[in-house]
Amino acid sequence: MPGTAQATTAAPAATRAGTSVQAPAAALVTKLTHSQATSRFRAAGITWSSSGGCSDRNNPTCTSFEQINLATVQGAETLKSASGCALNITGGTETGHASGTYSHWNGYKLDYSLSTCLNNYITSRFTYIGGSKYQSGSGNIYFRESNHWDVTYYNCGGC
């Protein structure tokens, strides 16, 4: 049904001797459309931008939120609310980022523009874990790259 969130499992079912066996520890992940995510970001006062001025998931110069995890969107909302900082997203689920299970493409990551407010909030409130990385109390990872924060949302950050 258009406009509704979809729940999917993170691990596919496997078959053994004709029976279906679910892979262990398959987490239920709710995916959002680009429109659903932008509506939530707009309501929370979170902005987004792209170098290409577009939202095509298959174009690396765009910023797309197609197939983003609900928990990732909620994590951004939590960060905005808790920090009081202006948040500008510069990277979502579009192609062109590193691959992996907890990747941009799979809906777990967002990139944010650097700002003094956000830098101070993250570095003063989260635990430094080495290599320009900080971990929030909820377990999400904030990685300071050269020109942005790359955030991996394993959960909604205490929503």
Side-chain angles (χ1 to χ4, degrees), residues 61-103:
T61 67
C62 297
T63 298
S64 175
F65 305 119
E66 193 64 38
Q67 294 297 302
I68 195 168
N69 298 338
L70 173 60
T72 301
V73 173
Q74 291 170 322
E77 293 167 340
T78 299
L79 179 61
K80 168 71 175 163
S81 174
S83 70
C85 298
L87 294 183
N88 181 62
I89 300 169
T90 59
T93 60
E94 65 281 346
T95 191
H97 298 279
S99 61
T101 301
Y102 298 103
S103 64

PDB file of all heavy atoms in Angstrom, residues 61-103:
ATOM      1  N   THR A  61      25.205  11.901  -5.916  1.00  0.00           N
ATOM      2  CA  THR A  61      25.222  13.336  -5.586  1.00  0.00           C
ATOM      3  C   THR A  61      23.903  13.787  -4.960  1.00  0.00           C
ATOM      4  O   THR A  61      23.757  14.949  -4.598  1.00  0.00           O
ATOM      5  CB  THR A  61      25.524  14.207  -6.825  1.00  0.00           C
ATOM      6  OG1 THR A  61      24.439  14.111  -7.745  1.00  0.00           O
ATOM      7  CG2 THR A  61      26.836  13.794  -7.477  1.00  0.00           C
ATOM      8  N   CYS A  62      22.965  12.873  -4.841  1.00  0.00           N
ATOM      9  CA  CYS A  62      21.662  13.184  -4.227  1.00  0.00           C
ATOM     10  C   CYS A  62      21.678  12.818  -2.743  1.00  0.00           C
ATOM     11  O   CYS A  62      22.559  12.101  -2.281  1.00  0.00           O
ATOM     12  CB  CYS A  62      20.554  12.395  -4.915  1.00  0.00           C
ATOM     13  SG  CYS A  62      20.322  12.771  -6.656  1.00  0.00           S
ATOM     14  N   THR A  63      20.685  13.299  -2.007  1.00  0.00           N
ATOM     15  CA  THR A  63      20.455  12.858  -0.631  1.00  0.00           C
ATOM     16  C   THR A  63      19.073  12.238  -0.596  1.00  0.00           C
ATOM     17  O   THR A  63      18.066  12.926  -0.771  1.00  0.00           O
ATOM     18  CB  THR A  63      20.563  14.017   0.369  1.00  0.00           C
ATOM     19  OG1 THR A  63      21.892  14.547   0.310  1.00  0.00           O
ATOM     20  CG2 THR A  63      20.283  13.548   1.791  1.00  0.00           C
ATOM     21  N   SER A  64      19.042  10.923  -0.417  1.00  0.00           N
ATOM     22  CA  SER A  64      17.795  10.168  -0.425  1.00  0.00           C
ATOM     23  C   SER A  64      17.539   9.556   0.938  1.00  0.00           C
ATOM     24  O   SER A  64      18.474   9.244   1.678  1.00  0.00           O
ATOM     25  CB  SER A  64      17.873   9.047  -1.472  1.00  0.00           C
ATOM     26  OG  SER A  64      16.724   8.228  -1.413  1.00  0.00           O
ATOM     27  N   PHE A  65      16.259   9.385   1.261  1.00  0.00           N
ATOM     28  CA  PHE A  65      15.876   8.683   2.483  1.00  0.00           C
ATOM     29  C   PHE A  65      15.017   7.464   2.166  1.00  0.00           C
ATOM     30  O   PHE A  65      14.414   6.869   3.058  1.00  0.00           O
ATOM     31  CB  PHE A  65      15.132   9.629   3.431  1.00  0.00           C
ATOM     32  CG  PHE A  65      15.923  10.878   3.750  1.00  0.00           C
ATOM     33  CD1 PHE A  65      15.430  12.125   3.420  1.00  0.00           C
ATOM     34  CD2 PHE A  65      17.156  10.797   4.360  1.00  0.00           C
ATOM     35  CE1 PHE A  65      16.156  13.271   3.693  1.00  0.00           C
ATOM     36  CE2 PHE A  65      17.901  11.934   4.637  1.00  0.00           C
ATOM     37  CZ  PHE A  65      17.395  13.177   4.304  1.00  0.00           C
ATOM     38  N   GLU A  66      14.963   7.086   0.894  1.00  0.00           N
ATOM     39  CA  GLU A  66      14.187   5.906   0.490  1.00  0.00           C
ATOM     40  C   GLU A  66      14.749   4.676   1.192  1.00  0.00           C
ATOM     41  O   GLU A  66      15.947   4.440   1.166  1.00  0.00           O
ATOM     42  CB  GLU A  66      14.262   5.740  -1.029  1.00  0.00           C
ATOM     43  CG  GLU A  66      13.257   4.748  -1.577  1.00  0.00           C
ATOM     44  CD  GLU A  66      11.813   5.185  -1.365  1.00  0.00           C
ATOM     45  OE1 GLU A  66      11.511   6.390  -1.473  1.00  0.00           O
ATOM     46  OE2 GLU A  66      10.991   4.293  -1.079  1.00  0.00           O
ATOM     47  N   GLN A  67      13.878   3.909   1.856  1.00  0.00           N
ATOM     48  CA  GLN A  67      14.245   2.686   2.578  1.00  0.00           C
ATOM     49  C   GLN A  67      15.073   2.950   3.835  1.00  0.00           C
ATOM     50  O   GLN A  67      15.783   2.068   4.312  1.00  0.00           O
ATOM     51  CB  GLN A  67      14.974   1.697   1.653  1.00  0.00           C
ATOM     52  CG  GLN A  67      14.087   1.146   0.546  1.00  0.00           C
ATOM     53  CD  GLN A  67      12.923   0.340   1.098  1.00  0.00           C
ATOM     54  OE1 GLN A  67      13.110  -0.632   1.820  1.00  0.00           O
ATOM     55  NE2 GLN A  67      11.697   0.763   0.782  1.00  0.00           N
ATOM     56  N   ILE A  68      14.957   4.134   4.401  1.00  0.00           N
ATOM     57  CA  ILE A  68      15.625   4.431   5.671  1.00  0.00           C
ATOM     58  C   ILE A  68      14.885   3.715   6.799  1.00  0.00           C
ATOM     59  O   ILE A  68      13.664   3.500   6.728  1.00  0.00           O
ATOM     60  CB  ILE A  68      15.696   5.954   5.914  1.00  0.00           C
ATOM     61  CG1 ILE A  68      16.697   6.281   7.032  1.00  0.00           C
ATOM     62  CG2 ILE A  68      14.312   6.536   6.214  1.00  0.00           C
ATOM     63  CD1 ILE A  68      17.025   7.766   7.126  1.00  0.00           C
ATOM     64  N   ASN A  69      15.596   3.321   7.827  1.00  0.00           N
ATOM     65  CA  ASN A  69      14.967   2.678   8.982  1.00  0.00           C
ATOM     66  C   ASN A  69      14.231   3.716   9.822  1.00  0.00           C
ATOM     67  O   ASN A  69      14.744   4.813  10.045  1.00  0.00           O
ATOM     68  CB  ASN A  69      16.013   1.989   9.855  1.00  0.00           C
ATOM     69  CG  ASN A  69      16.741   0.881   9.135  1.00  0.00           C
ATOM     70  OD1 ASN A  69      16.256   0.332   8.144  1.00  0.00           O
ATOM     71  ND2 ASN A  69      17.923   0.547   9.618  1.00  0.00           N
ATOM     72  N   LEU A  70      13.060   3.345  10.312  1.00  0.00           N
ATOM     73  CA  LEU A  70      12.311   4.225  11.199  1.00  0.00           C
ATOM     74  C   LEU A  70      13.171   4.611  12.399  1.00  0.00           C
ATOM     75  O   LEU A  70      13.182   5.773  12.811  1.00  0.00           O
ATOM     76  CB  LEU A  70      11.016   3.548  11.663  1.00  0.00           C
ATOM     77  CG  LEU A  70      10.209   4.288  12.729  1.00  0.00           C
ATOM     78  CD1 LEU A  70       9.775   5.668  12.240  1.00  0.00           C
ATOM     79  CD2 LEU A  70       9.010   3.449  13.154  1.00  0.00           C
ATOM     80  N   ALA A  71      13.913   3.657  12.962  1.00  0.00           N
ATOM     81  CA  ALA A  71      14.753   3.942  14.128  1.00  0.00           C
ATOM     82  C   ALA A  71      15.827   4.984  13.809  1.00  0.00           C
ATOM     83  O   ALA A  71      16.208   5.774  14.676  1.00  0.00           O
ATOM     84  CB  ALA A  71      15.409   2.664  14.651  1.00  0.00           C
ATOM     85  N   THR A  72      16.316   5.036  12.577  1.00  0.00           N
ATOM     86  CA  THR A  72      17.305   6.037  12.178  1.00  0.00           C
ATOM     87  C   THR A  72      16.673   7.422  12.171  1.00  0.00           C
ATOM     88  O   THR A  72      17.256   8.387  12.676  1.00  0.00           O
ATOM     89  CB  THR A  72      17.890   5.687  10.787  1.00  0.00           C
ATOM     90  OG1 THR A  72      18.503   4.394  10.872  1.00  0.00           O
ATOM     91  CG2 THR A  72      18.899   6.714  10.326  1.00  0.00           C
ATOM     92  N   VAL A  73      15.475   7.518  11.621  1.00  0.00           N
ATOM     93  CA  VAL A  73      14.754   8.791  11.618  1.00  0.00           C
ATOM     94  C   VAL A  73      14.460   9.222  13.053  1.00  0.00           C
ATOM     95  O   VAL A  73      14.668  10.383  13.426  1.00  0.00           O
ATOM     96  CB  VAL A  73      13.457   8.690  10.787  1.00  0.00           C
ATOM     97  CG1 VAL A  73      12.611   9.940  10.919  1.00  0.00           C
ATOM     98  CG2 VAL A  73      13.786   8.412   9.323  1.00  0.00           C
ATOM     99  N   GLN A  74      14.020   8.298  13.881  1.00  0.00           N
ATOM    100  CA  GLN A  74      13.754   8.611  15.287  1.00  0.00           C
ATOM    101  C   GLN A  74      15.042   9.015  16.006  1.00  0.00           C
ATOM    102  O   GLN A  74      15.016   9.880  16.880  1.00  0.00           O
ATOM    103  CB  GLN A  74      13.123   7.402  15.987  1.00  0.00           C
ATOM    104  CG  GLN A  74      11.718   7.123  15.513  1.00  0.00           C
ATOM    105  CD  GLN A  74      11.190   5.794  16.034  1.00  0.00           C
ATOM    106  OE1 GLN A  74      11.929   4.806  16.126  1.00  0.00           O
ATOM    107  NE2 GLN A  74       9.913   5.765  16.365  1.00  0.00           N
ATOM    108  N   GLY A  75      16.152   8.409  15.650  1.00  0.00           N
ATOM    109  CA  GLY A  75      17.440   8.774  16.240  1.00  0.00           C
ATOM    110  C   GLY A  75      17.807  10.212  15.909  1.00  0.00           C
ATOM    111  O   GLY A  75      18.307  10.950  16.758  1.00  0.00           O
ATOM    112  N   ALA A  76      17.555  10.629  14.669  1.00  0.00           N
ATOM    113  CA  ALA A  76      17.806  12.024  14.278  1.00  0.00           C
ATOM    114  C   ALA A  76      16.888  12.962  15.055  1.00  0.00           C
ATOM    115  O   ALA A  76      17.322  14.016  15.530  1.00  0.00           O
ATOM    116  CB  ALA A  76      17.600  12.187  12.775  1.00  0.00           C
ATOM    117  N   GLU A  77      15.639  12.576  15.203  1.00  0.00           N
ATOM    118  CA  GLU A  77      14.680  13.388  15.976  1.00  0.00           C
ATOM    119  C   GLU A  77      15.134  13.508  17.426  1.00  0.00           C
ATOM    120  O   GLU A  77      15.072  14.594  18.016  1.00  0.00           O
ATOM    121  CB  GLU A  77      13.283  12.767  15.901  1.00  0.00           C
ATOM    122  CG  GLU A  77      12.662  12.810  14.526  1.00  0.00           C
ATOM    123  CD  GLU A  77      11.438  11.923  14.371  1.00  0.00           C
ATOM    124  OE1 GLU A  77      11.243  10.978  15.172  1.00  0.00           O
ATOM    125  OE2 GLU A  77      10.673  12.156  13.422  1.00  0.00           O
ATOM    126  N   THR A  78      15.615  12.413  18.003  1.00  0.00           N
ATOM    127  CA  THR A  78      16.109  12.417  19.376  1.00  0.00           C
ATOM    128  C   THR A  78      17.330  13.325  19.501  1.00  0.00           C
ATOM    129  O   THR A  78      17.422  14.117  20.449  1.00  0.00           O
ATOM    130  CB  THR A  78      16.468  10.979  19.828  1.00  0.00           C
ATOM    131  OG1 THR A  78      15.295  10.173  19.777  1.00  0.00           O
ATOM    132  CG2 THR A  78      17.031  10.966  21.243  1.00  0.00           C
ATOM    133  N   LEU A  79      18.263  13.224  18.552  1.00  0.00           N
ATOM    134  CA  LEU A  79      19.461  14.070  18.578  1.00  0.00           C
ATOM    135  C   LEU A  79      19.088  15.541  18.495  1.00  0.00           C
ATOM    136  O   LEU A  79      19.611  16.356  19.252  1.00  0.00           O
ATOM    137  CB  LEU A  79      20.398  13.693  17.428  1.00  0.00           C
ATOM    138  CG  LEU A  79      21.688  14.515  17.311  1.00  0.00           C
ATOM    139  CD1 LEU A  79      22.554  14.375  18.557  1.00  0.00           C
ATOM    140  CD2 LEU A  79      22.451  14.105  16.054  1.00  0.00           C
ATOM    141  N   LYS A  80      18.174  15.884  17.627  1.00  0.00           N
ATOM    142  CA  LYS A  80      17.725  17.271  17.480  1.00  0.00           C
ATOM    143  C   LYS A  80      17.104  17.776  18.779  1.00  0.00           C
ATOM    144  O   LYS A  80      17.435  18.857  19.271  1.00  0.00           O
ATOM    145  CB  LYS A  80      16.720  17.364  16.319  1.00  0.00           C
ATOM    146  CG  LYS A  80      15.956  18.661  16.214  1.00  0.00           C
ATOM    147  CD  LYS A  80      16.832  19.785  15.765  1.00  0.00           C
ATOM    148  CE  LYS A  80      15.984  21.042  15.544  1.00  0.00           C
ATOM    149  NZ  LYS A  80      16.791  22.228  15.490  1.00  0.00           N
ATOM    150  N   SER A  81      16.224  16.995  19.344  1.00  0.00           N
ATOM    151  CA  SER A  81      15.529  17.382  20.573  1.00  0.00           C
ATOM    152  C   SER A  81      16.485  17.484  21.755  1.00  0.00           C
ATOM    153  O   SER A  81      16.442  18.455  22.525  1.00  0.00           O
ATOM    154  CB  SER A  81      14.432  16.358  20.864  1.00  0.00           C
ATOM    155  OG  SER A  81      13.822  16.605  22.095  1.00  0.00           O
ATOM    156  N   ALA A  82      17.356  16.499  21.923  1.00  0.00           N
ATOM    157  CA  ALA A  82      18.261  16.468  23.075  1.00  0.00           C
ATOM    158  C   ALA A  82      19.347  17.533  22.989  1.00  0.00           C
ATOM    159  O   ALA A  82      19.713  18.130  23.996  1.00  0.00           O
ATOM    160  CB  ALA A  82      18.902  15.082  23.193  1.00  0.00           C
ATOM    161  N   SER A  83      19.854  17.787  21.782  1.00  0.00           N
ATOM    162  CA  SER A  83      20.979  18.717  21.623  1.00  0.00           C
ATOM    163  C   SER A  83      20.541  20.164  21.486  1.00  0.00           C
ATOM    164  O   SER A  83      21.279  21.078  21.849  1.00  0.00           O
ATOM    165  CB  SER A  83      21.809  18.331  20.399  1.00  0.00           C
ATOM    166  OG  SER A  83      21.091  18.595  19.200  1.00  0.00           O
ATOM    167  N   GLY A  84      19.358  20.384  20.906  1.00  0.00           N
ATOM    168  CA  GLY A  84      18.909  21.741  20.603  1.00  0.00           C
ATOM    169  C   GLY A  84      19.675  22.363  19.446  1.00  0.00           C
ATOM    170  O   GLY A  84      19.524  23.549  19.159  1.00  0.00           O
ATOM    171  N   CYS A  85      20.498  21.576  18.779  1.00  0.00           N
ATOM    172  CA  CYS A  85      21.321  22.073  17.667  1.00  0.00           C
ATOM    173  C   CYS A  85      20.547  22.025  16.354  1.00  0.00           C
ATOM    174  O   CYS A  85      19.673  21.178  16.171  1.00  0.00           O
ATOM    175  CB  CYS A  85      22.565  21.199  17.496  1.00  0.00           C
ATOM    176  SG  CYS A  85      23.683  21.172  18.907  1.00  0.00           S
ATOM    177  N   ALA A  86      20.918  22.907  15.450  1.00  0.00           N
ATOM    178  CA  ALA A  86      20.421  22.809  14.082  1.00  0.00           C
ATOM    179  C   ALA A  86      21.064  21.576  13.463  1.00  0.00           C
ATOM    180  O   ALA A  86      22.265  21.359  13.603  1.00  0.00           O
ATOM    181  CB  ALA A  86      20.795  24.060  13.293  1.00  0.00           C
ATOM    182  N   LEU A  87      20.269  20.743  12.803  1.00  0.00           N
ATOM    183  CA  LEU A  87      20.798  19.560  12.134  1.00  0.00           C
ATOM    184  C   LEU A  87      20.523  19.668  10.646  1.00  0.00           C
ATOM    185  O   LEU A  87      19.383  19.909  10.245  1.00  0.00           O
ATOM    186  CB  LEU A  87      20.137  18.277  12.659  1.00  0.00           C
ATOM    187  CG  LEU A  87      20.389  17.873  14.104  1.00  0.00           C
ATOM    188  CD1 LEU A  87      19.698  16.547  14.407  1.00  0.00           C
ATOM    189  CD2 LEU A  87      21.875  17.776  14.389  1.00  0.00           C
ATOM    190  N   ASN A  88      21.559  19.473   9.849  1.00  0.00           N
ATOM    191  CA  ASN A  88      21.422  19.424   8.403  1.00  0.00           C
ATOM    192  C   ASN A  88      21.991  18.102   7.917  1.00  0.00           C
ATOM    193  O   ASN A  88      23.179  17.826   8.100  1.00  0.00           O
ATOM    194  CB  ASN A  88      22.137  20.583   7.710  1.00  0.00           C
ATOM    195  CG  ASN A  88      21.946  20.521   6.209  1.00  0.00           C
ATOM    196  OD1 ASN A  88      20.831  20.611   5.716  1.00  0.00           O
ATOM    197  ND2 ASN A  88      23.028  20.354   5.477  1.00  0.00           N
ATOM    198  N   ILE A  89      21.141  17.285   7.316  1.00  0.00           N
ATOM    199  CA  ILE A  89      21.556  15.975   6.808  1.00  0.00           C
ATOM    200  C   ILE A  89      22.124  16.146   5.405  1.00  0.00           C
ATOM    201  O   ILE A  89      21.490  16.748   4.540  1.00  0.00           O
ATOM    202  CB  ILE A  89      20.361  15.002   6.785  1.00  0.00           C
ATOM    203  CG1 ILE A  89      19.797  14.817   8.196  1.00  0.00           C
ATOM    204  CG2 ILE A  89      20.780  13.662   6.177  1.00  0.00           C
ATOM    205  CD1 ILE A  89      18.459  14.096   8.234  1.00  0.00           C
ATOM    206  N   THR A  90      23.318  15.596   5.202  1.00  0.00           N
ATOM    207  CA  THR A  90      23.967  15.683   3.889  1.00  0.00           C
ATOM    208  C   THR A  90      24.123  14.317   3.230  1.00  0.00           C
ATOM    209  O   THR A  90      24.584  14.234   2.087  1.00  0.00           O
ATOM    210  CB  THR A  90      25.351  16.343   4.007  1.00  0.00           C
ATOM    211  OG1 THR A  90      26.156  15.550   4.902  1.00  0.00           O
ATOM    212  CG2 THR A  90      25.243  17.768   4.534  1.00  0.00           C
ATOM    213  N   GLY A  91      23.776  13.258   3.932  1.00  0.00           N
ATOM    214  CA  GLY A  91      23.874  11.915   3.379  1.00  0.00           C
ATOM    215  C   GLY A  91      22.839  11.011   4.000  1.00  0.00           C
ATOM    216  O   GLY A  91      22.645  11.025   5.220  1.00  0.00           O
ATOM    217  N   GLY A  92      22.161  10.254   3.150  1.00  0.00           N
ATOM    218  CA  GLY A  92      21.128   9.327   3.606  1.00  0.00           C
ATOM    219  C   GLY A  92      21.357   7.944   3.039  1.00  0.00           C
ATOM    220  O   GLY A  92      22.438   7.378   3.200  1.00  0.00           O
ATOM    221  N   THR A  93      20.365   7.424   2.321  1.00  0.00           N
ATOM    222  CA  THR A  93      20.415   6.049   1.829  1.00  0.00           C
ATOM    223  C   THR A  93      20.868   5.939   0.377  1.00  0.00           C
ATOM    224  O   THR A  93      20.793   4.865  -0.217  1.00  0.00           O
ATOM    225  CB  THR A  93      19.031   5.379   1.956  1.00  0.00           C
ATOM    226  OG1 THR A  93      18.079   6.118   1.170  1.00  0.00           O
ATOM    227  CG2 THR A  93      18.578   5.325   3.406  1.00  0.00           C
ATOM    228  N   GLU A  94      21.361   7.026  -0.176  1.00  0.00           N
ATOM    229  CA  GLU A  94      21.790   6.997  -1.579  1.00  0.00           C
ATOM    230  C   GLU A  94      23.060   6.162  -1.766  1.00  0.00           C
ATOM    231  O   GLU A  94      23.827   5.963  -0.834  1.00  0.00           O
ATOM    232  CB  GLU A  94      22.020   8.421  -2.108  1.00  0.00           C
ATOM    233  CG  GLU A  94      23.153   9.168  -1.455  1.00  0.00           C
ATOM    234  CD  GLU A  94      22.818   9.762  -0.101  1.00  0.00           C
ATOM    235  OE1 GLU A  94      21.628   9.836   0.272  1.00  0.00           O
ATOM    236  OE2 GLU A  94      23.769  10.161   0.601  1.00  0.00           O
ATOM    237  N   THR A  95      23.264   5.727  -2.990  1.00  0.00           N
ATOM    238  CA  THR A  95      24.458   4.976  -3.353  1.00  0.00           C
ATOM    239  C   THR A  95      25.698   5.860  -3.215  1.00  0.00           C
ATOM    240  O   THR A  95      25.591   7.079  -3.177  1.00  0.00           O
ATOM    241  CB  THR A  95      24.326   4.429  -4.797  1.00  0.00           C
ATOM    242  OG1 THR A  95      25.376   3.499  -5.020  1.00  0.00           O
ATOM    243  CG2 THR A  95      24.375   5.527  -5.828  1.00  0.00           C
ATOM    244  N   GLY A  96      26.866   5.215  -3.135  1.00  0.00           N
ATOM    245  CA  GLY A  96      28.110   5.966  -3.084  1.00  0.00           C
ATOM    246  C   GLY A  96      28.800   5.934  -1.740  1.00  0.00           C
ATOM    247  O   GLY A  96      29.927   6.399  -1.617  1.00  0.00           O
ATOM    248  N   HIS A  97      28.137   5.379  -0.728  1.00  0.00           N
ATOM    249  CA  HIS A  97      28.748   5.247   0.607  1.00  0.00           C
ATOM    250  C   HIS A  97      29.334   3.842   0.745  1.00  0.00           C
ATOM    251  O   HIS A  97      29.057   2.964  -0.056  1.00  0.00           O
ATOM    252  CB  HIS A  97      27.701   5.469   1.700  1.00  0.00           C
ATOM    253  CG  HIS A  97      27.082   6.818   1.694  1.00  0.00           C
ATOM    254  ND1 HIS A  97      27.684   7.925   2.253  1.00  0.00           N
ATOM    255  CD2 HIS A  97      25.898   7.253   1.195  1.00  0.00           C
ATOM    256  CE1 HIS A  97      26.899   8.980   2.098  1.00  0.00           C
ATOM    257  NE2 HIS A  97      25.811   8.598   1.458  1.00  0.00           N
ATOM    258  N   ALA A  98      30.104   3.631   1.793  1.00  0.00           N
ATOM    259  CA  ALA A  98      30.670   2.309   2.061  1.00  0.00           C
ATOM    260  C   ALA A  98      29.549   1.289   2.280  1.00  0.00           C
ATOM    261  O   ALA A  98      28.476   1.625   2.783  1.00  0.00           O
ATOM    262  CB  ALA A  98      31.578   2.362   3.289  1.00  0.00           C
ATOM    263  N   SER A  99      29.814   0.040   1.886  1.00  0.00           N
ATOM    264  CA  SER A  99      28.820  -1.020   2.045  1.00  0.00           C
ATOM    265  C   SER A  99      28.922  -1.644   3.433  1.00  0.00           C
ATOM    266  O   SER A  99      29.771  -1.263   4.230  1.00  0.00           O
ATOM    267  CB  SER A  99      29.031  -2.081   0.964  1.00  0.00           C
ATOM    268  OG  SER A  99      30.313  -2.652   1.108  1.00  0.00           O
ATOM    269  N   GLY A 100      28.066  -2.589   3.691  1.00  0.00           N
ATOM    270  CA  GLY A 100      28.064  -3.298   4.968  1.00  0.00           C
ATOM    271  C   GLY A 100      26.660  -3.411   5.519  1.00  0.00           C
ATOM    272  O   GLY A 100      25.735  -2.751   5.046  1.00  0.00           O
ATOM    273  N   THR A 101      26.513  -4.241   6.517  1.00  0.00           N
ATOM    274  CA  THR A 101      25.194  -4.455   7.119  1.00  0.00           C
ATOM    275  C   THR A 101      24.616  -3.160   7.664  1.00  0.00           C
ATOM    276  O   THR A 101      23.475  -2.803   7.378  1.00  0.00           O
ATOM    277  CB  THR A 101      25.291  -5.513   8.241  1.00  0.00           C
ATOM    278  OG1 THR A 101      25.782  -6.723   7.683  1.00  0.00           O
ATOM    279  CG2 THR A 101      23.931  -5.747   8.880  1.00  0.00           C
ATOM    280  N   TYR A 102      25.399  -2.433   8.460  1.00  0.00           N
ATOM    281  CA  TYR A 102      24.924  -1.195   9.092  1.00  0.00           C
ATOM    282  C   TYR A 102      25.386   0.001   8.254  1.00  0.00           C
ATOM    283  O   TYR A 102      26.138   0.848   8.723  1.00  0.00           O
ATOM    284  CB  TYR A 102      25.414  -1.120  10.534  1.00  0.00           C
ATOM    285  CG  TYR A 102      24.875  -2.260  11.359  1.00  0.00           C
ATOM    286  CD1 TYR A 102      25.670  -3.352  11.683  1.00  0.00           C
ATOM    287  CD2 TYR A 102      23.553  -2.275  11.771  1.00  0.00           C
ATOM    288  CE1 TYR A 102      25.173  -4.413  12.412  1.00  0.00           C
ATOM    289  CE2 TYR A 102      23.037  -3.337  12.500  1.00  0.00           C
ATOM    290  CZ  TYR A 102      23.848  -4.403  12.813  1.00  0.00           C
ATOM    291  OH  TYR A 102      23.338  -5.457  13.530  1.00  0.00           O
ATOM    292  N   SER A 103      24.920   0.046   7.020  1.00  0.00           N
ATOM    293  CA  SER A 103      25.371   1.040   6.050  1.00  0.00           C
ATOM    294  C   SER A 103      24.303   2.099   5.770  1.00  0.00           C
ATOM    295  O   SER A 103      23.152   1.972   6.189  1.00  0.00           O
ATOM    296  CB  SER A 103      25.728   0.341   4.739  1.00  0.00           C
ATOM    297  OG  SER A 103      24.565  -0.256   4.176  1.00  0.00           O
TER     298      SER A 103
END
